[in-house]
Amino acid sequence: MKEKIESILNKYNNDPSRLMDILLDIMENSGYVDEFSISVIAESLNISVAQVKETISFYHFFSEKPRAKYNIFLNNSITSCLRGFKEVKEAFETEAGTSFGNLTEDGLIGLYETSCIGMNDQGPAAIINDKIFTNLTPYRARKIINDIKAGKKLEELVYENHGDGNNAHPLMNTMVYNHIRKKSILLDENYEKFDVIKNELKNISPQELIQTIEDSNLRGRGGAGFPTGLKWKFGSRMPGEHRVIICNADEGEPGTFKDRVMLTQFNDLVFEGMVLAAYATKADIGVLYLRYEYKYMLNYLNSVLDDMRKENLLGEDISGIEGFKFDIRIQLGAGAYVCGEESALIESMEGKRGEPRDKPPFPVEKGYMDYPTIVNNVETLASAVKIAKNGAKWYNSFGTKDSLGTKLLSVSGDCRFPGIYEVEWGTSIREVLEMAGAHNVQAVQVGGPSGTLVNVKDIDNLSKTELMKWYKPSGMMTAQTAFDRKLSYSDLPTGGSIIIFNKDRDILREVVMNFMDFFIEESCGSCSTCRNLPRIMKEKLEKIINGHGVRDDIDDLLNWGKIIKLSRCGLGQTAANPILSSILNFRHLYEDHVMAMTDYDNQFDIVKSVSPANSFVGRKFIHNHS
Ligand code: SF4
């Protein structure tokens, strides 16, 4: 056992910053990281046992307790729930004979719930020992358990050989489908693999490349929208022994799966974008941070990088450009939504808990291992290639005045054609719904749980009484406007997640509660606001839904929503958004619940009620009953 651990440690040169990889390898070998392994790791890396344990405890896919031979991680995000999560879960539990969070007595099967695994267009889905199982039904869940019990191997459990495109590649071989529904300038076929590295780079200087990206007005596609050219320019000017390009492929926002498709089908474009960013900023270290949920792509993506090395598209003097040295490695995450935040991601890459750093300094000044670090989103890097090839002017001919180019949308929920849509910025929600074949729509969540819950109710069809009930003067948009709101940085900014809910959905009970559970689960726990308020707010919401709320409860929620915005990172700052956004755009639902409470006795006098008990124990009133 000790030799095995030592050989893993040697593989990573006993480097503490590679603790994530060391733990991932040990998990793969033993199924968990036991006390003995922890002590060997701590001693060899010259760090404390506590440091090893704090990293293990942070990530969903690490465990200090033994796991089963077959571990089933069933996704519990909202899109899964809309399509039968509850029934699938029950089928797993009944057939396995154990409940979620536990192993079967013989240690054969472990059942766990997990946050979004990026399969919202084909859920309910689960990861079983790194293999993805999509479109689960109770029948399929029962069959999987019975096949496991019958001694079948993991590969024999699949009910569909493989999906489309590169999903069928022998190194990937997964039942996942790309579901690309609409292509535009980024996803079109008009792309010659690595053409810009091979033929264009030698004709332009790094400064010219940065200028082109600046002129294109490309903004970060992860959601924050920071100007990419500016980020590259800052990065290129920072002093440092090394510079680092990180491609952030840790999309964990429920409803988002565009990076999955980009990395499956357009990985050459993404890697080419990383090389361009490296050329522009004179970076020599490249890392693709790949979320653990996409581990099934790892071997395939590594094979693409190997091919690039063979073609001299990575390595030394890339494509004959003297002194241009750059390589890319893939760093796997281990399951933590907050690692999508760039400084948390860097902490994770250094083998630590993925807790966001205080800023400044920003990663571009002091990032991975204190080197200047440029973190770009998958879609941003791919877009940079198209801009470098076709020019800023060409790119500026798409989109709107303040939001140029196109955007990849991950569309899921109640619609006929969930999948990836590449649309020009400025496309309205109405158009998206039409393309996706959505009918009877009640609401659309734009930008995942941290985004906006848009009410698409058509006011033209409302009676005057309904309208009066629904209308709130302050900040309330009209439904007609809502339906025509445009995806853009000035109206509805989005990282790309669009979840559709039809009129049969219970917005508060099903949707908002699910989103709050997500934030509660994913808080890193560092700030008291983010650690506590989502729980308290969820309890308050439950109280309202269950008919025990009063109007003051709605005000409390709004006030607490202001406090939580003081949290350190975007996760905490937006954790109350599901409630705040639904109060803003679905206030009538809250009002209905509050007004439905008819048995509330607002004359109830608590001091009077407890006075017999107080006299019995001899306690004096401390309440000034005026
Ligand atoms: Fe962690 Fe939440 Fe604070 Fe972010 S806001 S640092 S996720 S506790």
Side-chain angles (χ1 to χ4, degrees):
M1 177 70 176
K2 190 169 184 199
E3 280 142 37
K4 185 75 221 169
I5 301 167
E6 282 174 347
S7 87
I8 292 172
L9 286 159
N10 286 336
K11 183 174 153 194
Y12 298 104
N13 300 319
N14 284 297
D15 178 354
S17 74
R18 300 301 294 273
L19 182 57
M20 288 291 285
D21 299 291
I22 292 163
L23 295 172
L24 283 160
D25 279 13
I26 292 174
M27 284 297 298
E28 184 148 336
N29 264 277
S30 321
Y32 72 114
V33 192
D34 65 1
E35 287 290 333
F36 177 71
S37 308
I38 291 171
S39 62
V40 174
I41 295 169
E43 201 183 325
S44 306
L45 301 185
N46 200 19
I47 56 177
S48 68
V49 164
Q51 279 173 289
V52 182
K53 287 195 171 199
E54 68 176 18
T55 295
I56 296 172
S57 64
F58 190 78
Y59 298 91
H60 297 314
F61 292 98
F62 289 153
S63 174
E64 279 188 59
K65 288 194 201 141
R67 288 216 163 137
K69 188 172 175 196
Y70 291 92
N71 294 294
I72 300 174
F73 288 89
L74 179 62
N75 168 232
N76 60 12
S77 57
I78 184 65
T79 50
S80 183
C81 295
L82 299 181
R83 296 190 47 176
F85 165 81
K86 188 166 163 272
E87 293 76 16
V88 170
K89 181 181 172 184
E90 278 167 9
F92 273 130
E93 287 185 325
T94 312
E95 215 62 22
T98 190
S99 55
F100 269 70
N102 295 303
L103 314 184
T104 51
E105 273 178 19
D106 58 4
L108 185 65
I109 300 164
L111 299 177
Y112 307 92
E113 286 188 35
T114 191
S115 301
C116 187
I117 61 171
M119 300 291 155
N120 313 79
D121 53 334
Q122 43 209 301
I127 305 175
I128 307 180
N129 296 9
D130 304 336
K131 214 166 180 56
I132 306 287
F133 290 75
T134 59
N135 293 312
L136 283 162
T137 59
Y139 170 80
R140 285 175 168 174
R142 283 193 294 273
K143 181 152 184 355
I144 286 169
I145 298 293
N146 284 321
D147 285 351
I148 291 174
K149 286 181 177 171
K152 288 197 178 172
K153 294 190 192 126
L154 185 65
E155 305 74 58
E156 297 173 303
L157 304 182
V158 297
Y159 33 82
E160 192 164 351
N161 281 340
H162 52 71
D164 55 347
N166 289 334
N167 290 298
H169 191 284
L171 287 173
M172 192 131 52
N173 198 22
T174 174
M175 66 170 77
V176 176
Y177 275 82
N178 287 329
H179 288 150
I180 299 170
R181 310 286 187 190
K182 186 176 185 322
K183 293 181 178 186
S184 182
I185 54 172
L186 185 62
L187 304 185
D188 65 14
E189 312 300 331
N190 188 17
Y191 166 62
E192 210 175 308
K193 232 171 148 177
F194 306 126
D195 175 44
V196 178
I197 309 179
K198 287 176 184 168
N199 302 314
E200 310 281 341
L201 276 194
K202 50 177 83 89
N203 302 322
I204 49 168
S205 68
Q207 294 74 19
E208 284 170 329
L209 178 55
I210 290 176
Q211 193 59 54
T212 304
I213 301 300
E214 271 201 286
D215 292 345
S216 74
N217 296 301
L218 175 66
R219 294 169 70 167
R221 295 294 194 246
F226 191 83
T228 307
L230 205 55
K231 196 185 258 193
W232 288 14
K233 190 192 266 180
F234 288 153
S236 71
R237 290 177 179 175
M238 289 295 155
E241 192 188 340
H242 298 281
R243 286 201 192 92
V244 186
I245 301 295
I246 296 176
C247 175
N248 181 349
D250 194 44
E251 61 174 353
E253 186 93 50
T256 309
F257 49 91
K258 69 190 174 70
D259 291 355
R260 182 198 87 212
V261 176
M262 286 301 292
L263 290 169
T264 301
Q265 213 55 40
F266 301 91
N267 45 64
D268 34 24
L269 204 53
V270 179
F271 289 140
E272 185 165 15
M274 290 181 76
V275 175
L276 263 53
Y279 179 73
T281 59
K282 300 191 189 64
D284 55 344
I285 300 172
V287 183
L288 170 73
Y289 187 96
L290 184 68
R291 67 188 305 225
Y292 183 91
E293 290 81 351
Y294 297 163
K295 191 182 171 196
Y296 68 94
M297 296 183 194
L298 183 63
N299 290 340
Y300 171 63
L301 291 175
N302 270 323
S303 77
V304 175
L305 292 176
D306 282 343
D307 290 345
M308 286 178 74
R309 287 184 195 105
K310 281 180 206 147
E311 282 195 69
N312 188 223
L313 301 170
L314 288 175
E316 312 253 341
D317 299 331
I318 291 171
S319 198
I321 302 170
E322 206 177 321
F324 180 24
K325 180 182 161 199
F326 179 68
D327 209 332
I328 300 172
R329 76 172 173 87
I330 300 177
Q331 172 68 63
L332 265 186
Y337 167 65
V338 69
C339 288
E341 196 278 340
E342 59 181 8
S343 66
L345 180 149
I346 290 168
E347 286 285 295
S348 176
M349 275 176 50
E350 293 179 357
K352 301 176 215 153
R353 291 163 69 83
E355 289 182 11
R357 294 176 178 174
D358 287 327
K359 295 171 199 160
F362 292 91
V364 77
E365 306 164 80
K366 206 170 174 187
Y368 176 58
M369 307 304 284
D370 288 349
Y371 303 134
T373 300
I374 293 113
V375 185
N376 281 144
N377 170 268
V378 169
E379 186 184 345
T380 312
L381 288 162
S383 302
V385 179
K386 293 290 179 111
I387 293 164
K389 176 70 191 164
N390 300 297
K393 204 168 161 211
W394 165 82
Y395 196 70
N396 285 341
S397 64
F398 303 95
T400 66
K401 207 170 157 210
D402 74 328
S403 308
L404 294 154
T406 61
K407 183 77 197 84
L408 293 182
L409 303 179
S410 313
V411 179
S412 61
D414 293 319
C415 62
R416 216 169 140 208
F417 305 111
I420 297 297
Y421 294 76
E422 186 188 358
V423 299
E424 281 190 49
W425 281 112
T427 301
S428 70
I429 292 179
R430 182 193 301 274
E431 289 168 297
V432 174
L433 296 177
E434 277 169 10
M435 282 188 277
H439 302 288
N440 204 26
V441 177
Q442 177 183 191
V444 179
Q445 183 74 26
V446 179
S450 59
T452 309
L453 184 65
V454 179
N455 189 334
V456 294
K457 206 167 189 178
D458 186 342
I459 57 169
D460 289 346
N461 298 328
L462 288 179
S463 68
K464 205 171 170 192
T465 330
E466 269 184 304
L467 191 57
M468 288 314 291
K469 191 170 79 174
W470 191 61
Y471 176 74
K472 286 283 155 197
S474 57
M476 185 70 186
M477 66 194 139
T478 68
Q480 192 68 45
T481 314
F483 201 70
D484 289 308
R485 286 184 75 184
K486 307 239 186 276
L487 301 169
S488 66
Y489 289 107
S490 56
D491 188 358
L492 279 175
T494 174
S497 165
I498 304 274
I499 309 174
I500 302 164
F501 304 107
N502 69 26
K503 288 184 180 148
D504 297 330
R505 305 302 179 186
D506 186 330
I507 292 295
L508 298 191
R509 206 179 290 272
E510 282 182 274
V511 180
V512 181
M513 292 286 274
N514 179 286
F515 288 166
M516 292 311 291
D517 280 337
F518 168 74
F519 284 116
I520 290 166
E521 175 66 25
E522 294 298 332
S523 166
C524 84
S526 176
C527 320
S528 57
T529 42
C530 169
R531 186 174 64 242
N532 299 316
L533 277 174
R535 282 178 196 279
I536 302 172
M537 292 178 83
K538 188 193 152 195
E539 278 168 20
K540 182 79 90 176
L541 174 62
E542 248 168 343
K543 179 186 165 197
I544 293 172
I545 291 172
N546 291 334
H548 304 300
V550 291
R551 197 160 262 114
D552 279 356
D553 289 323
I554 303 176
D555 293 336
D556 284 347
L557 289 171
L558 290 169
N559 288 329
W560 295 345
K562 288 179 201 151
I563 298 168
I564 203 171
K565 291 209 184 299
L566 301 172
S567 302
R568 178 153 34 123
C569 83
L571 189 153
Q573 289 156 10
T574 58
N577 282 10
I579 288 178
L580 298 181
S581 185
S582 55
I583 293 179
L584 181 65
N585 296 324
F586 286 84
R587 187 165 180 126
H588 63 290
L589 297 179
Y590 288 84
E591 301 277 355
D592 285 351
H593 281 293
V594 170
M595 282 194 284
M597 211 199 73
T598 52
D599 57 352
Y600 173 64
D601 178 5
N602 62 6
Q603 298 301 310
F604 179 70
D605 184 341
I606 191 164
V607 175
K608 196 172 160 198
S609 293
V610 297
S611 71
N614 279 336
S615 9
F616 185 73
V617 294
R619 185 195 288 156
K620 290 186 184 152
F621 283 147
I622 51 168
H623 181 81
N624 181 13
H625 189 55
S626 52

